[in-house]
Amino acid sequence: MTDAISVSGLVKTFGRTRALDGLDLTVRSGEVHGFLGPNGAGKSTTIRILLGLLRADAGTARLLGGDPWRDVTTLHRRLAYVPGDVVLWPNLTGGEVIDLLGRLRGGHDPGRKAELLERFELDPKKKGRAYSKGNRQKVALVAAFASDVELLILDEPTSGLDPLMEEVFQRCVEEERERGRTVLLSSHILSEVEALCDRVSIIRKGRTVETGTLSELRHLTRTSITAELASPPDGLMSLPGVHDPDVQGTRVKLEVDTDKLDEVLKHLTQAGVRSLTSTPPTLEELFLRHYEDEAPAGMPR
Amino acid sequence: MSVLAGTGQLLKLGLRRSRIMLAVWVYALAAYAASTGYGFTKLYDSQESLHDFVSGINGNGATVALYGRILVPGSVGGVTAWRLGAIGGVLVAVMSILLVIRHTRGDEEAGRLELVGAGVVGRRAPLTAGLLVGVVANLALALVTMIVLIACGLPAVGSLAVGLAWAIPGLCFTAVAGVTAQLAETAQAARGIALAVVGVAYLLRAAGDAARVSWLPWLSPIGWSQQVRAYGAERWWVVGLGVVVAVALTGAAYALVERRDLGAGLLPVRPGPAEAAPSLRSPLALAWRLQRGALLAWLSGFAVYGAAIGGVLKGIGDLVKGSSSTRDLLSRMGGQRSLEDSYVGTVMGVLGLIAAVYAVQVVLRLRTEETAQRLEPLLATRVRRVRWSIGHLLFAAAGPVVLLGAAGVAAGVAHGLRVHDLGTQVPRLLGAALVQAPAAWVTAAVALLLFGVVPRLAPAAWGVLGAFLLLGQLGPVLKLSQAVMDLSPFTHVPKLPGADLTVTPIAALTAVAVAVAAVGLAGFRRRDIG
């Protein structure tokens, strides 16, 4: 199976700003791929290059086996896009916009549209200017999910949705995966990415800093452990992979590199374990680890 | 917290946000007053010529309906005040409405008011600040108008009266806009209702003047504007009447503000269709949907203006019969042709420029769609860039033809009926109108070139159109060289009717428009979106 999206060494500059600085991204066919990064990291710029709206300065981008800049018509028939900031025409109703976008893409399923309108609780009779941000996003989401395409490109699609609608959205993405479709999901919402995505790419300042499945990425991080021991531990500090140990008598709190977990646990059981809590790293910690070194640059310590 | 808390801050913000719009309006209207005052003092330098002109106007039902009756017949000032009264009053009303709606319902619809309203801002403050922007604009305009008319050599007291006479419809429609901003939920609808009230006010005055029903114009703030009788025995109390009505309407607007929620209107919003019509399936269909309302409004304006031109045409010859200086001036401006032909040529040239305004606006809509981020989702479908833009560009191409055609036919029918010669007049005036279209196309093509190649500078297309306008208006007066004059496409339009219809300039202008547009489209295909 070919990759749905393969991008390598992508560079895009706007004046003096280097928005993309050698970005790599591979999305396999049939997977839900999380595209993570702080504001201004280059997520939307990458997506706009993939949609043929921007032309890359260097690097290669392949989309569904074609060139995103040259093969616009053939590629766009096979994909649907939800922008982060959905702006509607003030005098067209939501229903009209959904139908229009579907027809311009090459047809959509009216039955599926009706079902989605109900699930997202969207009133299609309102004029574009009357919708709130969340409802404008629902219009674009219904238009995208109702279309029969191979690839969905979603750019922060849920920033205006309430938790109930967020759940509807997640179920829709699950269904798309079951139907064998590929989804590129750019997001800030880590719980959403954790719940939905098979693989994740984390980008920062226009470069990819991490990519892989969630368990692969977790492997690179630390697990936090809290234990109540029978006797005070001994030599724990000197074990490789142990960080921030906090030993108070028989109570131990520490962080451990996930690949050194086995040795540390053996050491703890020697001292006799009364109780043990182990917390796997969250995506959030993973995410923060990549960005926290940005913050101190300008901050007083 | 006082209901007016924060008004001062909001007013400052409003004046800052609209400083360019405000300056352009005041400048344009004062220039209109100055050119009218200057033109009349030069044209009617003798009592005899003035008398002929006044009796010509007041004896012609069509001009009386269009401009009103000359109420102060004995002086050049009185004629200037008459000429400025009706049309100027409408323009001042439009200025006031656009400013006030922009700062009241416009801000509210865009959600900016919510941001502001969370601060220390009284319930009536946003409306008050919006109204005050209108008041400031009108007072500034009254002052500048007075100064330029005095500079034209007209008496000071009368000039003040003209300024205040403009402020009457200005203040009244400032308050009308304050009311409609409460009624409608959208700025577009609020503007529409207020502009419809202007239309009714103008028609009441026109009907009253034409039918000699003397109380009818008194129902209209635009009628009051003329009743000030500047440069005669000024009736200052009419200004007071305008202020009283404006204050009463402001009170009504305040009462409405208290009765509604933020963001809501008092008129119900009707839901639209849940499904798109089967025809809404192409970029062209979408462009038609987005452009049709504006096109129909422009079309009715052109048709009414055309009919008005046709209506007054028969009287033109009589009007200037006695004044040899007018005849000289007109023939200097338009060549050796009959006065009627010259008049038609001049007004059709103005219509050509207005048609170019329409065409440029249509082209700049492309940029608006792009910067508003409505273009991206469309280009993420199978629609290609050029195909999308052609949907809108068809309006820039066909729009001027349709608008000018409507004006030409309306003028031809109105004039043809009066001289009992429809068969000749309709094609004659239609031709004179339609030859303007290629010049409008060239202007629109320049706008497309900017959009395609340097999109950030697209609004500079208005500057290009302004330059064409100045070349046409000032060129003959300043005796600019032909090479400079030739820069404007409007210079090359055949001077119909009267002159021979030559195909070369029309074909050349069309070819230039097509070539420039093609470069613009090629640039748009290659550039980044956004």
Side-chain angles (χ1 to χ4, degrees):
Chain A
M1 208 186 326
T2 55
D3 292 330
I5 295 174
S6 68
V7 164
S8 72
L10 210 56
V11 174
K12 177 74 192 174
T13 53
F14 298 106
R16 285 179 172 185
T17 328
R18 211 168 164 84
L20 296 184
D21 187 15
L23 184 125
D24 303 310
L25 174 69
T26 305
V27 177
R28 295 175 190 149
S29 288
E31 76 177 2
V32 178
H33 193 100
F35 197 30
L36 289 165
N39 291 327
K43 301 189 296 284
S44 294
T45 305
T46 308
I47 287 177
R48 296 163 99 215
I49 289 175
L50 290 173
L51 291 172
L53 297 168
L54 303 180
R55 204 209 280 258
D57 296 327
T60 56
R62 301 289 290 172
L63 179 75
L64 300 172
D67 179 330
W69 179 264
R70 276 190 299 110
D71 309 329
V72 170
T73 317
T74 45
L75 292 180
H76 287 193
R77 192 192 300 264
R78 298 159 64 193
L79 65 84
Y81 164 59
V82 175
D85 198 357
V86 181
V87 186
L88 304 174
W89 295 274
N91 51 348
L92 262 66
T93 65
E96 285 178 308
V97 172
I98 292 168
D99 286 348
L100 174 71
L101 289 176
R103 288 168 188 170
L104 293 179
R105 189 173 291 123
H108 67 304
D109 179 354
R112 177 112 174 104
K113 173 194 157 195
E115 181 209 321
L116 287 162
L117 284 175
E118 194 164 319
R119 284 170 71 182
F120 278 105
E121 296 171 19
L122 179 69
D123 177 3
K125 291 182 183 167
K126 274 201 194 176
K127 296 275 171 74
R129 61 169 83 88
Y131 285 117
S132 64
K133 175 173 165 60
N135 280 328
R136 291 201 303 271
Q137 264 174 338
K138 288 185 200 171
V139 169
L141 284 170
V142 170
F145 286 130
S147 54
D148 186 20
V149 292
E150 296 161 46
L151 172 65
L152 290 163
I153 297 181
L154 314 175
D155 190 359
E156 295 184 14
T158 58
S159 48
L161 297 188
D162 61 41
L164 279 177
M165 287 304 134
E166 168 76 41
E167 213 174 298
V168 175
F169 167 78
Q170 293 195 7
R171 267 208 302 280
C172 286
V173 173
E174 296 283 2
E175 287 166 19
E176 296 298 315
R177 190 213 323 262
E178 280 157 27
R179 287 200 268 178
R181 292 173 183 173
T182 312
V183 180
L184 177 64
L185 173 64
S186 136
S187 181
H188 289 313
I189 303 173
L190 299 165
S191 60
E192 176 180 287
V193 172
E194 264 187 306
L196 292 174
C197 296
D198 305 305
R199 293 197 321 131
V200 176
S201 291
I202 299 180
I203 70 165
R204 184 188 146 192
K205 290 185 180 166
R207 278 173 197 256
T208 313
V209 289
E210 208 76 82
T211 190
T213 65
L214 279 176
S215 56
E216 278 166 8
L217 295 187
R218 284 211 173 98
H219 201 63
L220 299 172
T221 58
R222 301 165 189 170
T223 303
S224 39
I225 286 177
T226 312
E228 180 80 47
L229 303 177
S231 58
D234 162 69
L236 196 60
M237 317 292 200
S238 54
L239 283 179
V242 171
H243 304 269
D244 309 328
D246 175 15
V247 182
Q248 291 179 353
T250 56
R251 280 186 62 92
V252 174
K253 274 177 91 170
L254 55 82
E255 307 249 305
V256 54
D257 287 343
T258 307
D259 51 350
K260 300 284 190 305
L261 196 57
D262 192 39
E263 278 173 52
V264 173
L265 282 180
K266 275 180 188 152
H267 201 87
L268 289 178
T269 36
Q270 279 170 15
V273 178
R274 294 260 168 84
S275 80
L276 180 89
T277 337
S278 128
T279 323
T282 60
L283 191 55
E284 195 152 7
E285 282 166 310
L286 199 71
F287 196 69
L288 285 174
R289 212 185 90 198
H290 282 293
Y291 299 126
E292 62 196 355
D293 52 328
E294 268 180 25
M299 270 163 60
R301 282 171 190 259
Chain B
M1 181 166 83
S2 142
V3 288
L4 290 176
T7 304
Q9 287 297 318
L10 288 177
L11 174 62
K12 266 206 256 173
L13 178 70
L15 289 175
R16 201 195 123 69
R17 275 188 56 220
S18 285
R19 61 194 191 284
I20 292 176
M21 183 180 171
L22 229 157
V24 167
W25 269 105
V26 170
Y27 174 81
L29 285 168
Y32 171 52
S35 67
T36 307
Y38 182 77
F40 278 124
T41 48
K42 287 278 165 285
L43 273 175
Y44 303 105
D45 43 3
S46 71
Q47 273 300 319
E48 188 210 356
S49 62
L50 188 63
H51 176 78
D52 287 347
F53 178 76
V54 171
S55 53
I57 292 290
N58 282 353
N60 183 330
T63 42
V64 166
L66 200 59
Y67 296 119
R69 199 169 295 284
I70 299 175
L71 297 172
V72 182
S75 71
V76 174
V79 176
T80 304
W82 156 79
R83 191 67 172 75
L84 294 177
I87 304 294
V90 169
L91 293 174
V92 173
V94 170
M95 168 189 81
S96 306
I97 289 167
L98 295 184
L99 278 170
V100 172
I101 298 294
R102 176 183 161 99
H103 291 289
T104 51
R105 182 54 75 172
D107 275 353
E108 190 166 343
E109 190 187 5
R112 284 189 285 269
L113 193 56
E114 205 172 333
L115 196 68
V116 167
V120 184
V121 166
R123 188 149 181 76
R124 290 178 174 185
L127 172 60
T128 312
L131 293 173
L132 285 177
V133 171
V135 172
V136 168
N138 277 293
L139 294 184
L141 176 62
L143 185 70
V144 176
T145 304
M146 181 185 80
I147 293 170
V148 300
L149 287 177
I150 293 173
C152 289
L154 293 166
V157 174
S159 301
L160 172 64
V162 172
L164 291 178
W166 265 2
I168 296 175
L171 293 176
C172 287
F173 282 99
T174 293
V176 165
V179 172
T180 62
Q182 314 311 314
L183 295 177
E185 201 164 282
T186 66
Q188 199 184 2
R191 254 193 311 269
I193 300 169
L195 291 174
V197 179
V198 177
V200 170
Y202 181 80
L203 287 177
L204 282 175
R205 188 217 48 80
D209 279 339
R212 296 179 171 275
V213 184
S214 58
W215 55 269
L216 214 48
W218 283 100
L219 295 179
S220 154
I222 294 168
W224 301 339
S225 193
Q226 295 173 327
Q227 294 296 339
V228 173
R229 304 197 178 197
Y231 302 108
E234 282 91 357
R235 295 147 109 181
W236 302 105
W237 60 268
V238 181
V239 179
L241 175 66
V243 172
V244 167
V245 168
V247 168
L249 285 166
T250 302
Y254 279 145
L256 294 174
V257 153
E258 307 289 339
R259 276 170 183 71
R260 67 182 190 87
D261 294 331
L262 183 70
L266 290 165
L267 298 177
V269 183
R270 273 176 305 157
E275 277 166 31
S279 58
L280 186 60
R281 57 184 318 112
S282 66
L284 177 61
L286 177 62
W288 165 246
R289 182 70 190 276
L290 298 176
Q291 299 272 5
R292 68 183 177 190
L295 180 64
L296 288 177
W298 281 80
L299 188 62
S300 52
F302 266 71
V304 169
Y305 193 65
I309 292 168
V312 298
L313 203 49
K314 185 165 172 284
I316 291 292
D318 314 336
L319 214 67
V320 285
K321 203 166 41 190
S323 164
S324 61
S325 61
T326 312
R327 213 175 313 148
D328 285 351
L329 185 80
L330 278 176
S331 59
R332 232 190 356 258
M333 283 165 64
Q336 298 296 319
R337 287 179 286 141
S338 85
L339 283 171
E340 193 186 297
D341 284 352
S342 176
Y343 175 76
V344 171
T346 307
V347 294
M348 289 304 178
V350 172
L351 276 181
L353 279 163
I354 301 177
V357 171
Y358 172 80
V360 167
Q361 177 208 269
V362 166
V363 173
L364 292 186
R365 177 70 189 250
L366 296 173
R367 179 67 181 156
T368 314
E369 289 288 298
E370 181 184 357
T371 51
Q373 299 182 9
R374 288 190 286 256
L375 172 56
E376 274 184 30
L378 290 178
L379 292 185
T381 67
R382 279 183 306 162
V383 174
R384 304 207 65 154
R385 298 176 179 199
V386 171
R387 199 170 147 236
W388 166 76
S389 56
I390 287 206
H392 288 275
L393 293 178
L394 280 177
F395 286 83
V401 176
V402 171
L403 295 177
L404 290 164
V409 169
V413 169
H415 185 53
L417 287 174
R418 295 193 80 196
V419 299
H420 307 289
D421 185 12
L422 278 178
T424 321
Q425 295 307 328
V426 172
R428 172 168 167 259
L429 291 170
L430 178 61
L434 285 181
V435 287
Q436 308 288 336
W441 290 338
V442 172
T443 320
V446 172
L448 180 60
L449 179 69
L450 290 168
F451 166 74
V453 179
V454 276
R456 276 164 215 283
L457 296 182
W462 292 121
V464 172
L465 180 58
F468 291 165
L469 171 76
L470 284 178
L471 282 176
Q473 299 291 304
L474 296 179
V477 180
L478 299 178
K479 300 200 166 62
L480 292 177
S481 74
Q482 193 60 34
V484 177
M485 295 286 290
D486 281 349
L487 287 175
S488 165
F490 294 91
T491 309
H492 304 278
V493 171
K495 306 267 180 288
L496 291 187
D500 291 333
L501 173 60
T502 41
V503 178
T504 323
I506 295 177
L509 285 174
T510 309
V512 168
V514 169
V516 172
V519 176
L521 280 179
F524 179 52
R525 276 185 63 183
R526 302 179 52 81
R527 72 172 172 84
D528 288 345
I529 299 290

